[in-house]
Amino acid sequence: MSDNLWGSGPETSEQRQGKPSVDPQAQRQPVVSADSKEWRLIEKMVSSLSVEQRRSRRWGIFFKLLTFGYLFVAMYLVVGDNFSDKAISSEPHTALVDIQGAISADSEASADTIVHGLRAAFKDENTEAVILRINSPGGSPVQSGYVYDEIKRLRQLYPTTKVYAVISDIGASGAYYIAAAADEIYADKASLVGSIGVISSSFGFVEVLEKLGVERRVMTAGEHKAFLDPFAPLKATERQFWEGVLDTTHQQFIDQVKKGRGDRLKDDAKLFSGLIWTGEQSLELGLIDGLGSTGYVAREVVGVDNIVDFTPSMTPWEKLADRFGVSVARTLSTELGLKTPPLQ
């Protein structure tokens, strides 16, 4: 009788006694135990694959960081001069500070930005005069007031350094407020100048809510806390109060313009009515001192046609944050010291 590898041969009586029956089919399946060589080999293979995947991920992260670092260095080499203040001329020059766009705390024409440029321009020992090149419809009276006061302060610190305002397309409202602090104001014959006034506008939606059947629910502590609510009627007493606020602000504006322009202003009530005039008309009214461009003022008035721009510009990180709304870029800009410092 030939031997059977799977033990299917007859058993002796001693073997059958006390021994449980075994399914022949089950006996034919090879069993891989946890201690077997095959099992240890499988565990080793799985562990090796896991280690390899972790190693691959680490290298992937490393190369991504390396690429980012390379791009950062390349950007710095290309636009590195934008990370610092603009180069200062070692020769006598006319300093230029731009005021472009609406004047507000969160715009490029903020008081912080303008004052930063003015301080640098006055501080430079080679600055013969400072030109404020203005192209702005105005904006915040508070921001404009900050710049006005700073110009007056710097003129006292540097009495020999004059300030000239040059209006290009428009210099109205808060922009003219700033210009009034200059020693002289120039504009093109077609420039728009003036708008010495204060405005507050809104809409009233009371009847709209009534037609839609919408109930307005506002809870306040203070009788007039919600007096500018566009969904509630404006009371006569509240209108009178708010007009008083506007009148006070308007008078502050008028006082500063008169202080800056002095006797050069014509005695005309329309000057402070909020109207706006061309450069030619402004010259007749005493709102400006002459007609001319930035180059003309530097060459003919200051006598130094070498113009150096002291206008603080947005850094690449700030431009990235502004374009894509990425707060991380702005944070890095601050941490790396690449941002225009605030007012002191």
mmCIF file of all heavy atoms in Angstrom, residues 242-271:
data_model
loop_
_atom_site.group_PDB
_atom_site.id
_atom_site.type_symbol
_atom_site.label_atom_id
_atom_site.label_comp_id
_atom_site.label_asym_id
_atom_site.label_seq_id
_atom_site.Cartn_x
_atom_site.Cartn_y
_atom_site.Cartn_z
ATOM 1 N N TRP A 242 -28.726 115.100 12.080
ATOM 2 C CA TRP A 242 -27.710 114.620 11.139
ATOM 3 C C TRP A 242 -27.222 115.743 10.225
ATOM 4 O O TRP A 242 -26.048 115.803 9.874
ATOM 5 C CB TRP A 242 -28.269 113.463 10.315
ATOM 6 C CG TRP A 242 -27.229 112.742 9.511
ATOM 7 C CD1 TRP A 242 -27.199 112.577 8.163
ATOM 8 C CD2 TRP A 242 -26.051 112.108 10.002
ATOM 9 N NE1 TRP A 242 -26.094 111.868 7.780
ATOM 10 C CE2 TRP A 242 -25.367 111.553 8.897
ATOM 11 C CE3 TRP A 242 -25.525 111.929 11.275
ATOM 12 C CZ2 TRP A 242 -24.175 110.870 9.018
ATOM 13 C CZ3 TRP A 242 -24.322 111.236 11.400
ATOM 14 C CH2 TRP A 242 -23.664 110.714 10.277
ATOM 15 N N GLU A 243 -28.104 116.621 9.837
ATOM 16 C CA GLU A 243 -27.691 117.774 9.048
ATOM 17 C C GLU A 243 -26.731 118.663 9.841
ATOM 18 O O GLU A 243 -25.815 119.263 9.274
ATOM 19 C CB GLU A 243 -28.923 118.572 8.604
ATOM 20 C CG GLU A 243 -29.738 117.878 7.518
ATOM 21 C CD GLU A 243 -30.997 118.639 7.155
ATOM 22 O OE1 GLU A 243 -31.356 119.576 7.925
ATOM 23 O OE2 GLU A 243 -31.617 118.314 6.127
ATOM 24 N N GLY A 244 -26.944 118.724 11.152
ATOM 25 C CA GLY A 244 -26.016 119.467 11.999
ATOM 26 C C GLY A 244 -24.626 118.852 12.007
ATOM 27 O O GLY A 244 -23.613 119.571 11.995
ATOM 28 N N VAL A 245 -24.564 117.504 12.009
ATOM 29 C CA VAL A 245 -23.276 116.810 11.948
ATOM 30 C C VAL A 245 -22.569 117.123 10.628
ATOM 31 O O VAL A 245 -21.362 117.415 10.595
ATOM 32 C CB VAL A 245 -23.476 115.286 12.100
ATOM 33 C CG1 VAL A 245 -22.168 114.539 11.842
ATOM 34 C CG2 VAL A 245 -23.993 114.947 13.495
ATOM 35 N N LEU A 246 -23.318 117.082 9.538
ATOM 36 C CA LEU A 246 -22.736 117.375 8.228
ATOM 37 C C LEU A 246 -22.279 118.831 8.144
ATOM 38 O O LEU A 246 -21.213 119.127 7.576
ATOM 39 C CB LEU A 246 -23.759 117.079 7.129
ATOM 40 C CG LEU A 246 -24.238 115.626 7.011
ATOM 41 C CD1 LEU A 246 -25.251 115.493 5.871
ATOM 42 C CD2 LEU A 246 -23.077 114.683 6.794
ATOM 43 N N ASP A 247 -23.066 119.733 8.701
ATOM 44 C CA ASP A 247 -22.688 121.147 8.695
ATOM 45 C C ASP A 247 -21.392 121.385 9.477
ATOM 46 O O ASP A 247 -20.536 122.180 9.059
ATOM 47 C CB ASP A 247 -23.809 122.001 9.291
ATOM 48 C CG ASP A 247 -25.022 122.094 8.369
ATOM 49 O OD1 ASP A 247 -24.861 121.837 7.162
ATOM 50 O OD2 ASP A 247 -26.120 122.410 8.868
ATOM 51 N N THR A 248 -21.259 120.697 10.609
ATOM 52 C CA THR A 248 -20.042 120.843 11.410
ATOM 53 C C THR A 248 -18.812 120.351 10.642
ATOM 54 O O THR A 248 -17.760 121.005 10.617
ATOM 55 C CB THR A 248 -20.171 120.056 12.726
ATOM 56 O OG1 THR A 248 -21.283 120.566 13.465
ATOM 57 C CG2 THR A 248 -18.907 120.183 13.565
ATOM 58 N N THR A 249 -18.961 119.182 9.999
ATOM 59 C CA THR A 249 -17.857 118.636 9.204
ATOM 60 C C THR A 249 -17.519 119.551 8.031
ATOM 61 O O THR A 249 -16.347 119.770 7.704
ATOM 62 C CB THR A 249 -18.222 117.233 8.686
ATOM 63 O OG1 THR A 249 -18.630 116.402 9.778
ATOM 64 C CG2 THR A 249 -17.040 116.575 7.990
ATOM 65 N N HIS A 250 -18.557 120.102 7.412
ATOM 66 C CA HIS A 250 -18.356 121.011 6.291
ATOM 67 C C HIS A 250 -17.609 122.268 6.737
ATOM 68 O O HIS A 250 -16.690 122.740 6.041
ATOM 69 C CB HIS A 250 -19.719 121.396 5.695
ATOM 70 C CG HIS A 250 -19.634 122.203 4.451
ATOM 71 N ND1 HIS A 250 -20.635 123.056 4.027
ATOM 72 C CD2 HIS A 250 -18.637 122.307 3.515
ATOM 73 C CE1 HIS A 250 -20.267 123.627 2.894
ATOM 74 N NE2 HIS A 250 -19.067 123.187 2.552
ATOM 75 N N GLN A 251 -17.953 122.779 7.885
ATOM 76 C CA GLN A 251 -17.291 123.983 8.379
ATOM 77 C C GLN A 251 -15.823 123.710 8.695
ATOM 78 O O GLN A 251 -14.959 124.565 8.460
ATOM 79 C CB GLN A 251 -18.000 124.511 9.624
ATOM 80 C CG GLN A 251 -17.534 125.886 10.076
ATOM 81 C CD GLN A 251 -17.694 126.943 9.000
ATOM 82 O OE1 GLN A 251 -18.775 127.104 8.430
ATOM 83 N NE2 GLN A 251 -16.615 127.677 8.715
ATOM 84 N N GLN A 252 -15.527 122.509 9.201
ATOM 85 C CA GLN A 252 -14.132 122.130 9.433
ATOM 86 C C GLN A 252 -13.357 122.131 8.113
ATOM 87 O O GLN A 252 -12.206 122.592 8.049
ATOM 88 C CB GLN A 252 -14.074 120.749 10.086
ATOM 89 C CG GLN A 252 -14.640 120.701 11.491
ATOM 90 C CD GLN A 252 -14.773 119.273 12.010
ATOM 91 O OE1 GLN A 252 -14.564 118.305 11.282
ATOM 92 N NE2 GLN A 252 -15.138 119.134 13.282
ATOM 93 N N PHE A 253 -13.985 121.608 7.078
ATOM 94 C CA PHE A 253 -13.391 121.579 5.745
ATOM 95 C C PHE A 253 -13.118 123.009 5.267
ATOM 96 O O PHE A 253 -12.011 123.347 4.804
ATOM 97 C CB PHE A 253 -14.356 120.855 4.803
ATOM 98 C CG PHE A 253 -13.796 120.483 3.457
ATOM 99 C CD1 PHE A 253 -14.528 119.666 2.598
ATOM 100 C CD2 PHE A 253 -12.550 120.935 3.010
ATOM 101 C CE1 PHE A 253 -14.040 119.314 1.354
ATOM 102 C CE2 PHE A 253 -12.055 120.578 1.771
ATOM 103 C CZ PHE A 253 -12.808 119.776 0.940
ATOM 104 N N ILE A 254 -14.114 123.870 5.383
ATOM 105 C CA ILE A 254 -13.982 125.262 4.940
ATOM 106 C C ILE A 254 -12.854 125.972 5.691
ATOM 107 O O ILE A 254 -12.031 126.684 5.090
ATOM 108 C CB ILE A 254 -15.314 126.017 5.143
ATOM 109 C CG1 ILE A 254 -16.393 125.442 4.226
ATOM 110 C CG2 ILE A 254 -15.133 127.514 4.886
ATOM 111 C CD1 ILE A 254 -17.780 125.988 4.489
ATOM 112 N N ASP A 255 -12.811 125.768 6.991
ATOM 113 C CA ASP A 255 -11.783 126.435 7.804
ATOM 114 C C ASP A 255 -10.375 126.034 7.371
ATOM 115 O O ASP A 255 -9.470 126.879 7.311
ATOM 116 C CB ASP A 255 -11.995 126.105 9.287
ATOM 117 C CG ASP A 255 -13.256 126.730 9.854
ATOM 118 O OD1 ASP A 255 -13.788 127.670 9.228
ATOM 119 O OD2 ASP A 255 -13.728 126.261 10.915
ATOM 120 N N GLN A 256 -10.196 124.737 7.079
ATOM 121 C CA GLN A 256 -8.869 124.267 6.679
ATOM 122 C C GLN A 256 -8.475 124.791 5.301
ATOM 123 O O GLN A 256 -7.312 125.112 5.056
ATOM 124 C CB GLN A 256 -8.821 122.736 6.696
ATOM 125 C CG GLN A 256 -9.012 122.098 8.077
ATOM 126 C CD GLN A 256 -7.917 122.518 9.050
ATOM 127 O OE1 GLN A 256 -7.896 123.644 9.556
ATOM 128 N NE2 GLN A 256 -7.001 121.599 9.319
ATOM 129 N N VAL A 257 -9.450 124.883 4.399
ATOM 130 C CA VAL A 257 -9.160 125.423 3.069
ATOM 131 C C VAL A 257 -8.794 126.903 3.175
ATOM 132 O O VAL A 257 -7.825 127.367 2.562
ATOM 133 C CB VAL A 257 -10.368 125.231 2.130
ATOM 134 C CG1 VAL A 257 -10.161 126.006 0.823
ATOM 135 C CG2 VAL A 257 -10.573 123.750 1.829
ATOM 136 N N LYS A 258 -9.539 127.656 3.967
ATOM 137 C CA LYS A 258 -9.232 129.082 4.152
ATOM 138 C C LYS A 258 -7.864 129.266 4.820
ATOM 139 O O LYS A 258 -7.105 130.171 4.454
ATOM 140 C CB LYS A 258 -10.321 129.741 5.007
ATOM 141 C CG LYS A 258 -11.636 129.938 4.275
ATOM 142 C CD LYS A 258 -12.638 130.659 5.165
ATOM 143 C CE LYS A 258 -13.929 130.967 4.427
ATOM 144 N NZ LYS A 258 -14.915 131.678 5.275
ATOM 145 N N LYS A 259 -7.565 128.387 5.778
ATOM 146 C CA LYS A 259 -6.273 128.467 6.454
ATOM 147 C C LYS A 259 -5.130 128.193 5.481
ATOM 148 O O LYS A 259 -4.068 128.834 5.544
ATOM 149 C CB LYS A 259 -6.251 127.458 7.601
ATOM 150 C CG LYS A 259 -4.977 127.472 8.419
ATOM 151 C CD LYS A 259 -5.069 126.446 9.546
ATOM 152 C CE LYS A 259 -3.778 126.394 10.349
ATOM 153 N NZ LYS A 259 -3.864 125.374 11.441
ATOM 154 N N GLY A 260 -5.345 127.253 4.579
ATOM 155 C CA GLY A 260 -4.295 126.908 3.628
ATOM 156 C C GLY A 260 -4.169 127.894 2.483
ATOM 157 O O GLY A 260 -3.058 128.222 2.050
ATOM 158 N N ARG A 261 -5.306 128.390 1.974
ATOM 159 C CA ARG A 261 -5.279 129.256 0.793
ATOM 160 C C ARG A 261 -5.211 130.740 1.142
ATOM 161 O O ARG A 261 -4.698 131.538 0.362
ATOM 162 C CB ARG A 261 -6.527 128.996 -0.068
ATOM 163 C CG ARG A 261 -6.631 127.583 -0.602
ATOM 164 C CD ARG A 261 -5.472 127.228 -1.492
ATOM 165 N NE ARG A 261 -5.454 128.073 -2.691
ATOM 166 C CZ ARG A 261 -4.423 128.178 -3.515
ATOM 167 N NH1 ARG A 261 -3.300 127.519 -3.264
ATOM 168 N NH2 ARG A 261 -4.483 128.965 -4.590
ATOM 169 N N GLY A 262 -5.745 131.092 2.293
ATOM 170 C CA GLY A 262 -5.655 132.486 2.734
ATOM 171 C C GLY A 262 -6.340 133.460 1.800
ATOM 172 O O GLY A 262 -7.430 133.218 1.271
ATOM 173 N N ASP A 263 -5.671 134.583 1.549
ATOM 174 C CA ASP A 263 -6.235 135.667 0.745
ATOM 175 C C ASP A 263 -6.303 135.340 -0.740
ATOM 176 O O ASP A 263 -6.853 136.134 -1.523
ATOM 177 C CB ASP A 263 -5.410 136.945 0.930
ATOM 178 C CG ASP A 263 -5.471 137.451 2.364
ATOM 179 O OD1 ASP A 263 -6.464 137.123 3.052
ATOM 180 O OD2 ASP A 263 -4.527 138.153 2.792
ATOM 181 N N ARG A 264 -5.761 134.219 -1.145
ATOM 182 C CA ARG A 264 -5.804 133.871 -2.567
ATOM 183 C C ARG A 264 -7.206 133.475 -3.015
ATOM 184 O O ARG A 264 -7.520 133.518 -4.209
ATOM 185 C CB ARG A 264 -4.816 132.730 -2.853
ATOM 186 C CG ARG A 264 -3.358 133.152 -2.765
ATOM 187 C CD ARG A 264 -2.413 131.979 -2.862
ATOM 188 N NE ARG A 264 -2.435 131.154 -1.648
ATOM 189 C CZ ARG A 264 -1.631 130.117 -1.427
ATOM 190 N NH1 ARG A 264 -0.735 129.777 -2.358
ATOM 191 N NH2 ARG A 264 -1.693 129.433 -0.300
ATOM 192 N N LEU A 265 -8.065 133.086 -2.080
ATOM 193 C CA LEU A 265 -9.440 132.707 -2.406
ATOM 194 C C LEU A 265 -10.277 133.943 -2.726
ATOM 195 O O LEU A 265 -10.200 134.959 -2.040
ATOM 196 C CB LEU A 265 -10.079 131.951 -1.235
ATOM 197 C CG LEU A 265 -9.568 130.541 -0.931
ATOM 198 C CD1 LEU A 265 -10.213 130.025 0.342
ATOM 199 C CD2 LEU A 265 -9.842 129.595 -2.094
ATOM 200 N N LYS A 266 -11.078 133.844 -3.757
ATOM 201 C CA LYS A 266 -11.995 134.920 -4.092
ATOM 202 C C LYS A 266 -13.177 134.905 -3.124
ATOM 203 O O LYS A 266 -13.538 133.859 -2.575
ATOM 204 C CB LYS A 266 -12.510 134.766 -5.533
ATOM 205 C CG LYS A 266 -11.417 134.796 -6.582
ATOM 206 C CD LYS A 266 -10.669 136.115 -6.590
ATOM 207 C CE LYS A 266 -9.612 136.137 -7.675
ATOM 208 N NZ LYS A 266 -8.830 137.398 -7.686
ATOM 209 N N ASP A 267 -13.769 136.063 -2.931
ATOM 210 C CA ASP A 267 -14.922 136.175 -2.048
ATOM 211 C C ASP A 267 -16.173 135.775 -2.822
ATOM 212 O O ASP A 267 -16.896 136.612 -3.363
ATOM 213 C CB ASP A 267 -15.042 137.609 -1.520
ATOM 214 C CG ASP A 267 -16.135 137.731 -0.461
ATOM 215 O OD1 ASP A 267 -16.621 136.675 -0.002
ATOM 216 O OD2 ASP A 267 -16.497 138.873 -0.117
ATOM 217 N N ASP A 268 -16.394 134.470 -2.872
ATOM 218 C CA ASP A 268 -17.526 133.944 -3.638
ATOM 219 C C ASP A 268 -18.160 132.814 -2.828
ATOM 220 O O ASP A 268 -17.498 131.820 -2.505
ATOM 221 C CB ASP A 268 -17.047 133.427 -4.993
ATOM 222 C CG ASP A 268 -18.191 133.103 -5.940
ATOM 223 O OD1 ASP A 268 -19.289 132.761 -5.454
ATOM 224 O OD2 ASP A 268 -17.987 133.180 -7.173
ATOM 225 N N ALA A 269 -19.441 132.962 -2.500
ATOM 226 C CA ALA A 269 -20.142 131.978 -1.673
ATOM 227 C C ALA A 269 -20.202 130.605 -2.344
ATOM 228 O O ALA A 269 -20.319 129.573 -1.674
ATOM 229 C CB ALA A 269 -21.553 132.473 -1.356
ATOM 230 N N LYS A 270 -20.119 130.575 -3.674
ATOM 231 C CA LYS A 270 -20.204 129.306 -4.391
ATOM 232 C C LYS A 270 -18.977 128.417 -4.166
ATOM 233 O O LYS A 270 -19.025 127.213 -4.452
ATOM 234 C CB LYS A 270 -20.366 129.572 -5.890
ATOM 235 C CG LYS A 270 -21.705 130.198 -6.262
ATOM 236 C CD LYS A 270 -21.789 130.385 -7.765
ATOM 237 C CE LYS A 270 -23.112 131.021 -8.159
ATOM 238 N NZ LYS A 270 -23.211 131.233 -9.633
ATOM 239 N N LEU A 271 -17.891 129.013 -3.691
ATOM 240 C CA LEU A 271 -16.667 128.236 -3.485
ATOM 241 C C LEU A 271 -16.900 127.026 -2.587
ATOM 242 O O LEU A 271 -16.314 125.968 -2.787
ATOM 243 C CB LEU A 271 -15.583 129.125 -2.872
ATOM 244 C CG LEU A 271 -14.798 130.029 -3.811
ATOM 245 C CD1 LEU A 271 -13.825 130.890 -3.015
ATOM 246 C CD2 LEU A 271 -14.042 129.204 -4.843
#
